[in-house]
Amino acid sequence: MELTTTPSVWQFKDKGKWLDIYLEPRLTSNNSKLLHCALLEGKGIALIPHFIIEDDLREGRLVPILTSFQTAELNLYSLRPGDRMSSYRLKLLYNFICEQLGE
């Protein structure tokens, strides 16, 4: 977590064109759970993956904004040992993540 005045950029796609929106956030974090908690406390807005907040959206605790704009897709990568067989537990975890994220 960082309290900052360093500008950051959010990118949105509107009518086929990418737009850069420059912000001067008071709080930045690479931890989605921290941002999620800040949202629930009414501390501002966040660009956060839908799957993290979907229950809060459904229950009305959070309200989506800027819904007419698209954002870049979130990529999630799995790093696995390449020199040996994956363990059964690792395969189960990988399958569970894919199932939960609809991949």
Side-chain angles (χ1 to χ4, degrees), residues 54-74:
E54 65 187 341
D55 291 340
D56 297 303
L57 291 171
R58 187 174 37 254
E59 298 297 324
R61 290 184 291 267
L62 295 175
V63 178
I65 62 171
L66 303 174
T67 57
S68 62
F69 296 93
Q70 290 179 308
T71 58
E73 288 187 17
L74 172 68

Side-chain angles (χ1 to χ4, degrees), residues 18-97:
W18 284 102
L19 306 171
D20 291 338
I21 307 299
Y22 294 88
L23 307 166
E24 291 186 21
R26 292 186 182 159
L27 172 69
T28 62
S29 177
N30 64 355
N31 183 313
S32 295
K33 186 62 179 168
L34 183 136
L35 295 174
H36 182 201
C37 289
L39 285 172
L40 291 172
E41 292 178 8
K43 301 295 184 188
I45 64 173
L47 185 56
I48 191 168
H50 186 268
F51 70 89
I52 293 173
I53 59 168
E54 65 187 341
D55 291 340
D56 297 303
L57 291 171
R58 187 174 37 254
E59 298 297 324
R61 290 184 291 267
L62 295 175
V63 178
I65 62 171
L66 303 174
T67 57
S68 62
F69 296 93
Q70 290 179 308
T71 58
E73 288 187 17
L74 172 68
N75 294 314
L76 182 63
Y77 298 95
S78 168
L79 299 177
R80 298 175 282 178
D83 59 342
R84 60 189 165 150
M85 295 284 293
S86 295
S87 72
Y88 179 70
R89 288 181 181 172
L90 185 58
K91 287 179 185 177
L92 284 176
L93 175 62
Y94 176 79
N95 290 339
F96 173 78
I97 291 171

